[in-house]
Amino acid sequence: MNKATRWTLRTLGGLGFLLTLNGAMLLGAWALLHRVPFADPFAEQSASHYRRAIPAEIGITTMVAEGSDASLLALFLPITREACGGVAFRLSDAAAEQIAAQGLAHLGSARIGRGYENSPEEHYFTYQPWQETPVPSTWIGDGKWAGALGCLKQSARQFDTDVVTEAARQPGAFFTTGRESEILIIPRLRLLLLTYFG
C-alpha cells in the first residue's frame, strides 16, 4: 500500500470517527435536554394571557401546566391551521370550597373572561351557562376537547390528563363552553382547566 492510500484511509477513518463522536454527543445532548425541565422564560406572560380568559368569580392561583401544538415554524408556513392546547390553574382553597359547596349557584354569574368585560373581544370570551359533569360523550374519544387535552399533554408530560378525563366523566365537577374553548373545574382536585381548539 502506498503512502497516499494510507493517508487517505487514515483521513477517512479519522473523519468517520469524528462524525460518529459528533453524532453520539448530539444524541446525548438531545436526550439530556429532553429530560431536564427548564424554567419557561415566558411562563408569567402565558399565565397572564390565559388568566384573562377565566371569569373573575373563580379564584385561581398558579398555573400548573400549559401546552399547545403551536410552534414557531407555523409562523413561516403559507397555510395556517388552527392550534389546540390548554392550561391548568390551581384553584384557591376558598374557591374550591365554595364551588364544591354551592356548585352551579356559585358559578351562575361566572360567564365572561376577567380580562375581556366591556371589550371588543367580550363575545369571544363569553361562556355558556355552567353544567355539572359528566361532560357530553362528544367531548371524550375523538372529540375536540379530547384533542385539545392531547395537545396539552404533549407539551406538559408531567400533567396527568388521565385524572382530568376521569373526573370529567364523573359527577362533582363543572364545565362550560366558549366559542372555541372549554373550561372544566374539578373542586376536589383544586384544578381549573381551560382547553381550546381553534
Side-chain angles (χ1 to χ4, degrees):
M1 196 179 298
N2 65 27
K3 209 180 217 185
T5 305
R6 277 192 300 240
W7 179 85
T8 302
L9 289 175
R10 256 192 237 138
T11 302
L12 289 175
L15 185 60
F17 173 76
L18 286 175
L19 288 173
T20 302
L21 182 63
N22 188 33
M25 287 173 36
L26 286 173
L27 183 61
W30 176 84
L32 180 66
L33 291 174
H34 190 65
R35 295 185 193 284
V36 175
F38 288 96
D40 181 357
F42 303 108
E44 191 53 43
Q45 292 87 345
S46 181
S48 176
H49 167 73
Y50 288 117
R51 188 174 276 116
R52 293 180 69 218
I54 297 166
E57 294 86 349
I58 304 168
I60 52 175
T61 59
T62 57
M63 183 174 74
V64 295
E66 187 257 331
S68 171
D69 70 343
S71 69
L72 289 176
L73 179 61
L75 294 174
F76 302 102
L77 295 175
I79 300 170
T80 58
R81 65 177 186 77
E82 298 193 343
C84 71
V87 62
F89 282 96
R90 184 75 49 216
L91 286 174
S92 69
D93 291 343
E97 289 167 13
Q98 285 177 327
I99 295 168
Q102 300 170 11
L104 296 174
H106 177 74
L107 295 169
S109 62
R111 301 273 308 278
I112 300 171
R114 67 187 70 200
Y116 296 98
E117 287 190 61
N118 303 315
S119 78
E121 295 96 3
E122 182 178 309
H123 69 282
Y124 196 78
F125 294 95
T126 298
Y127 300 98
Q128 297 298 313
W130 287 86
Q131 299 177 57
E132 188 170 357
T133 54
V135 297
S137 60
T138 55
W139 281 35
I140 310 294
D142 294 332
K144 285 171 55 174
W145 181 75
L149 202 59
C151 291
L152 169 62
K153 185 176 184 173
Q154 285 177 352
S155 299
R157 290 184 181 89
Q158 81 287 356
F159 185 71
D160 192 350
T161 56
D162 294 337
V163 171
V164 170
T165 303
E166 186 57 33
R169 291 179 170 156
Q170 305 296 323
F174 303 91
F175 69 95
T176 185
T177 59
R179 281 186 66 175
E180 294 180 342
S181 61
E182 302 85 21
I183 298 177
L184 174 68
I185 295 176
I186 311 167
R188 69 178 174 79
L189 298 178
R190 298 205 168 357
L191 196 64
L192 178 144
L193 194 78
L194 181 139
T195 51
Y196 59 88
F197 202 112

